């Protein structure tokens, strides 16, 4: 089976998670910048559960908005359409996937912790460089590895084979995927994001997070997701965050040298925000 056949077969799995229909509706409305705020807030308010979560999120320590946001309309005015859509994608995506999923080598909580750490790091990189909107980067980081959940949930044998091979070879998960699965987690995640009708730039960033190329259409955005993942992974290996620069794509090397004095210090400063993100998104009942 080749990658295309594998992804087509994935499309036929009926219970593959979908995002709430609100996300699709907002995607459509967002394409027209003249959409009135009232229309957007009406749509969100129709789904009380989501409306509540959005208010909880924007009022959480994690968002850092000082004055209390009392209603959806104010949230939309304060944050803008795009940020609100991103907030909805963030809260729904973690909920959509089973947090209880447990396989050897896959623990859903650890998985989302990694994803949230990459999300916060990507957001901070974009705030520092102003190369893209911080909340686009947050969602990109949050979703970059989502293909792994699909692999673990729907193809547990494939997942287990890749995981044990990566352990035995001491290689990264995406390296161990080669030759063992028809489509890697990056391709699977991109396929899913496209199916959810998320923006094309986001789909490409997911697809290229282990395979950054300068000729990508939205290379700067993809680079930030790629580098954020590198930083989190190297921090997990050692807290000084020592990165083997020679092994990186020249753009990633240039980006890191130009943006960060010391990667370890940069990452350490994010610790509190990462903890806030865990508390908001992962503590039982937090985002619900
Ligand atoms: Fe990955
Ligand atoms: Fe990752």
């Amino acid at each position: 089976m080749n990658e295309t056949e594998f992804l087509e077969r994935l499309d036929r799995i009926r219970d593959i998670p979908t995002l709430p229909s609100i996300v699709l509706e907002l995607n459509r409305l967002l394409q027209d910048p003249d959409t009135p705020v009232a229309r957007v807030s009406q749509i969100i308010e129709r789904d009380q559960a989501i409306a509540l979560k959005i208010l909880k999120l924007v009022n959480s320590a994690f968002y850092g908005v000082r004055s209390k946001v009392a209603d959806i309309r104010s949230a939309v005015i304060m944050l803008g359409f795009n940020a609100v859509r991103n907030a909805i994608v963030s809260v729904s995506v973690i909920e959509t996937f089973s947090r209880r999923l447990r396989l050897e080598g896959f623990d859903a909580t650890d998985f989302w912790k990694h994803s949230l750490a990459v999300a916060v790091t990507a957001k901070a990189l974009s705030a520092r460089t102003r190369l893209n909107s911080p909340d686009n980067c947050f969602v990109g980081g949050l979703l970059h590895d989502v293909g792994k959940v699909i692999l673990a949930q729907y193809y547990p044998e494939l997942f287990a084979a890749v995981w044990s091979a990566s352990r035995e070879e001491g290689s990264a998960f995406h390296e161990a995927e080669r030759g063992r699965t028809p489509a890697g987690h990056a391709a699977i995640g991109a396929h899913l994001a496209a199916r959810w009708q998320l923006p094309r730039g986001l789909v490409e960033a997911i697809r290229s997070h282990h395979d950054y190329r300068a000729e990508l259409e939205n290379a700067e955005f993809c680079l930030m997701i790629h580098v954020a993942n590198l930083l989190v992974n190297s921090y997990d290996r050692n807290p000084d965050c020592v990165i083997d620069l020679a092994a990186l794509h020249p753009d990633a090397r240039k980006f890191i040298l130009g943006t960060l004095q010391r990667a370890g210090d940069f990452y350490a400063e994010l610790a509190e925000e990462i903890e806030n993100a865990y508390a908001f998104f992962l503590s039982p009942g937090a985002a619900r």
Side-chain angles (χ1 to χ4, degrees):
M1 201 183 343
N2 62 28
E3 181 177 299
T4 317
E5 286 161 355
F6 182 85
L7 295 174
E8 276 170 15
R9 185 183 282 198
L10 197 67
D11 281 338
R12 291 197 293 272
I13 299 180
R14 230 178 282 135
D15 65 335
I16 285 264
T18 55
L19 291 184
S21 59
I22 282 192
V23 175
L24 300 185
E25 248 179 290
L26 286 181
N27 277 343
R28 222 183 37 242
L29 289 179
L30 273 166
Q31 272 148 30
D32 177 7
D34 294 329
T35 301
V37 169
R39 177 96 192 88
V40 173
S41 31
Q42 255 168 24
I43 287 180
I44 299 172
E45 279 160 352
R46 253 184 1 222
D47 187 326
Q48 277 302 309
I50 285 200
L52 259 173
K53 275 177 242 162
I54 294 304
L55 285 179
K56 222 167 162 182
L57 176 63
V58 299
N59 285 309
S60 69
F62 170 68
Y63 242 75
V65 176
R66 290 222 168 81
S67 52
K68 185 138 179 68
V69 184
D71 56 88
I72 288 295
R73 198 182 145 81
S74 323
V76 176
I77 293 170
M78 279 177 70
L79 303 174
F81 292 174
N82 190 47
V84 168
R85 188 240 336 244
N86 282 338
I88 293 179
V89 171
S90 304
V91 290
S92 34
V93 88
I94 296 184
E95 256 188 10
T96 302
F97 289 99
S98 159
R99 284 188 241 171
R100 275 156 304 184
L101 184 66
R102 232 171 233 282
L103 274 172
E104 207 192 348
F106 190 91
D107 173 320
T109 304
D110 288 347
F111 171 81
W112 288 115
K113 279 187 163 179
H114 167 75
S115 303
L116 284 164
V118 175
V120 169
T121 306
K123 181 177 166 216
L125 288 175
S126 95
R128 187 171 279 212
T129 57
R130 299 181 188 280
L131 288 175
N132 202 294
S133 94
D135 62 275
N136 282 349
C137 288
F138 183 86
V139 171
L142 186 66
L143 294 182
H144 78 285
D145 270 338
V146 76
K148 274 190 189 174
V149 198
I150 295 294
L151 211 51
Q153 196 152 0
Y154 298 95
Y155 298 93
E157 281 121 54
L158 272 182
F159 182 90
V162 173
W163 186 76
S164 49
S166 88
R167 290 253 319 215
E168 277 156 30
E169 295 164 359
S171 57
F173 188 88
H174 70 278
E175 288 162 347
E177 284 177 328
R178 280 182 215 128
R180 291 193 177 88
T181 159
H185 72 281
I188 297 173
H191 184 79
L192 194 69
R195 199 166 124 159
W196 287 342
Q197 299 183 32
L198 294 175
R200 221 173 78 199
L202 183 54
V203 173
E204 288 320 309
I206 295 172
R207 195 189 313 282
S208 64
H209 76 270
H210 292 294
D211 180 31
Y212 166 81
R213 279 157 292 124
E215 53 292 356
L216 290 165
E217 201 181 301
N218 54 338
E220 283 172 343
F221 179 63
C222 295
L223 185 61
M224 278 190 287
I225 306 301
H226 173 67
V227 168
N229 185 50
L230 282 171
L231 288 174
V232 173
N233 285 338
S234 37
Y235 182 80
D236 284 346
R237 277 192 301 270
N238 84 42
D240 286 333
C241 217
V242 178
I243 298 172
D244 179 9
L245 289 172
L248 302 187
H249 186 286
D251 287 2
R253 201 180 308 144
K254 211 169 116 201
F255 181 88
I256 292 176
L257 292 172
T259 317
L260 310 172
Q261 292 277 333
R262 277 179 42 112
D265 293 348
F266 171 78
Y267 198 79
E269 280 169 28
L270 300 178
E272 193 185 329
E273 197 176 342
I274 291 174
E275 286 304 322
N276 284 341
Y278 292 168
F280 182 79
F281 289 100
L282 301 179
S283 56
R288 278 169 289 174

